Amino acid sequence: MTTREIFRQNLKYYRKQKCLTQEALSEKIGLNPKYITNLEAQKKFPSPETIDAIAKVLEIKPALLFEDEGCPVNAVLFDKAAFIEKLVEGLSFEIRKDIVKYLDKNI
């Protein structure tokens, strides 16, 4: 597996672990909303400064983005409760309660 492929897979894994969309992570590091999409599609490769910024947002050491040993290639990571919480945070209490109930039942 190439360094770019390892980086892509690890980036995707740790991004999903933080319940961030590609666009949300791009915005948090202050770059074009499609930047992470392009990284994960291997259309671009980040600078060292961008790698540091990504790792900071993901709250990991930058080296983890290049770790081949135990690379989470086939890892399925989905925290249903965290996902629902991220979707509905900031909504009014009544709307939030209805959405949580619906999502919990249908996801």
Side-chain angles (χ1 to χ4, degrees), residues 3-5 7-8 35 38-39 42-48 50-51 66:
T3 299
R4 287 177 187 255
E5 182 65 19
F7 177 85
R8 182 194 74 79
Y35 186 77
N38 288 329
L39 290 181
Q42 294 182 345
K43 293 180 181 176
K44 293 187 177 201
F45 197 77
S47 68
T50 302
I51 292 167
F66 298 95

Side-chain angles (χ1 to χ4, degrees), residues 14 17-18 52-62 64:
Y14 290 112
Q17 190 174 37
K18 287 292 181 184
D52 287 340
I54 290 169
K56 184 176 181 180
V57 170
L58 297 177
E59 299 176 321
I60 60 172
K61 293 179 180 180
L64 285 177

Side-chain angles (χ1 to χ4, degrees), residues 76-101:
V76 175
L77 181 65
F78 182 72
D79 182 342
K80 180 177 167 183
F83 177 74
I84 291 171
E85 184 64 29
K86 288 276 187 188
L87 284 176
V88 299
E89 84 183 18
L91 298 175
S92 73
F93 180 74
E94 287 303 315
I95 292 172
R96 181 182 168 152
K97 189 170 73 171
D98 290 342
I99 291 173
V100 168
K101 186 176 177 180

